[in-house]
Amino acid sequence: MSNEETEKSFSRRNFLKMSGVATGTLITGTYLGSLLGDEAPPATDEPETGSQGDSEGSDSGSQQQNFTRAYKFFQNPEEFQIIEAATERIFPEDDNGPGAQALGVAWFIDHELSGGYGANAREYMKGPFKEGTDFQGPQYATLRRDIFRDGMRLMNEEALSAHDVPFYELEGGQQDEILTRMQENELELPGLEAGDFFEELRLVTLSGAYADPLYGGNIEMKGWEMKKFPGAYMSYREEIEQEGFVEKEMQSNSTHISH
């Protein structure tokens, strides 16, 4: 990455620092998945299916077919690639470890948006809608799955307008420019602030990097590995009174399946 790109990129170190508190809430589920359940909304269109290798570079090291890799929300490979490219700019690969693409964050987002998270299933969604406080956050009548569709469309339209190529084919610095303009509300989305969509995208990227692999991201627990986070232990009784940092073998929720 060039110096210019580095300056424009989101700070990976700051991102990891900010995510430290959140990781503990993602042990046995996800901020999104565990709270919102897995209710699937009525399907509006028949999505295409794809393999884990549909997008260039995604999980290219794995030659074994993964049957969990099929689009549940995205309608085509282009939508997947837009989100994959955007999340990689938010959570890029560097010396600390893999980025969002290698961690399967786009798959996590695809699966979450197809369920209760995308349909705001456990949120009160009837009006009147007033401006929320800082504690309440944005209050919109629009469902997350529709917000993400508008956000993907906007990112791609900006890329095509300025550079005549899709968002996912832009250079990293060019992608950062669009994401930054979105974050700063310089772009327009119907019915909501563009910056609110960016914050939602950043949150779901963080969740995909650190949630239990059960939900499709955090492939091979590589997100946890970067933070030396042991994962889904039921108790720390043996370690709670030990001095200093205790390293434990990582384990996911799948470890607790009864045989």
Side-chain angles (χ1 to χ4, degrees):
M1 184 183 297
S2 67
N3 291 336
E4 181 180 358
E5 278 192 278
T6 302
E7 292 175 359
K8 293 178 178 179
S9 295
F10 302 91
S11 168
R12 176 67 175 278
R13 184 178 298 278
N14 287 340
F15 194 76
L16 289 172
K17 180 180 179 181
M18 292 171 61
S19 66
V21 175
T23 308
T25 68
L26 304 175
I27 301 174
T28 58
T30 75
Y31 170 82
L32 313 174
S34 64
L35 294 179
L36 300 178
D38 195 32
E39 302 89 341
T44 54
D45 299 295
E46 188 66 27
E48 295 181 9
T49 58
S51 68
Q52 196 166 8
D54 277 348
S55 180
E56 183 178 356
S58 58
D59 305 322
S60 57
S62 176
Q63 300 300 317
Q64 186 175 4
Q65 185 173 4
N66 186 335
F67 293 101
T68 69
R69 297 311 198 211
Y71 301 143
K72 299 174 70 177
F73 168 76
F74 296 126
Q75 299 294 312
N76 51 61
E78 286 71 29
E79 290 185 347
F80 181 90
Q81 288 174 294
I82 291 169
I83 289 297
E84 186 174 57
T87 57
E88 181 66 19
R89 297 311 300 170
I90 293 172
F91 197 98
E93 179 176 357
D94 63 11
D95 293 340
N96 292 305
Q101 179 175 312
L103 290 170
V105 168
W107 288 110
F108 170 87
I109 294 175
D110 173 72
H111 294 180
E112 291 295 326
L113 286 173
S114 71
Y117 168 72
N120 300 58
R122 296 191 181 182
E123 298 170 40
Y124 182 78
M125 293 297 292
K126 297 185 182 298
F129 293 92
K130 299 181 179 180
E131 183 176 354
T133 64
D134 291 341
F135 176 77
Q136 293 169 327
Q139 307 289 310
Y140 293 119
T142 310
L143 300 180
R144 285 194 188 86
R145 63 189 184 200
D146 297 325
I147 291 175
F148 270 77
R149 290 215 182 282
D150 287 339
M152 289 187 292
R153 175 189 52 75
L154 178 61
M155 285 190 284
N156 213 38
E157 286 180 354
E158 287 296 314
L160 290 170
S161 174
H163 305 285
D164 205 28
V165 296
F167 179 84
Y168 52 83
E169 291 184 5
L170 294 177
E171 299 292 332
Q174 295 169 329
Q175 293 172 339
D176 288 351
E177 289 179 5
I178 294 175
L179 291 171
T180 300
R181 291 181 62 202
M182 182 174 294
Q183 182 184 23
E184 296 177 352
N185 287 324
E186 294 178 3
L187 301 180
E188 293 187 3
L189 279 173
L192 76 153
E193 299 280 352
D196 289 338
F197 166 68
F198 177 83
E199 287 302 319
E200 194 70 30
L201 178 60
R202 193 170 68 93
L203 170 63
V204 78
T205 298
L206 176 66
S207 297
Y210 293 125
D212 192 280
L214 164 69
Y215 297 97
N218 189 17
I219 291 177
E220 297 179 355
M221 299 183 283
K222 294 294 186 181
W224 291 348
E225 184 176 325
M226 285 187 281
K227 302 178 75 66
K228 303 296 182 186
F229 181 68
Y233 278 81
M234 296 297 103
S235 170
Y236 294 95
R237 185 180 60 183
E238 303 298 327
E239 296 85 9
I240 193 67
E241 294 186 355
Q242 293 185 28
E243 297 290 338
F245 187 81
V246 178
E247 290 199 36
K248 293 176 67 69
E249 181 180 357
M250 291 184 299
Q251 62 179 26
S252 68
N253 274 327
S254 62
T255 306
H256 307 292
I257 295 177
S258 298
H259 296 283

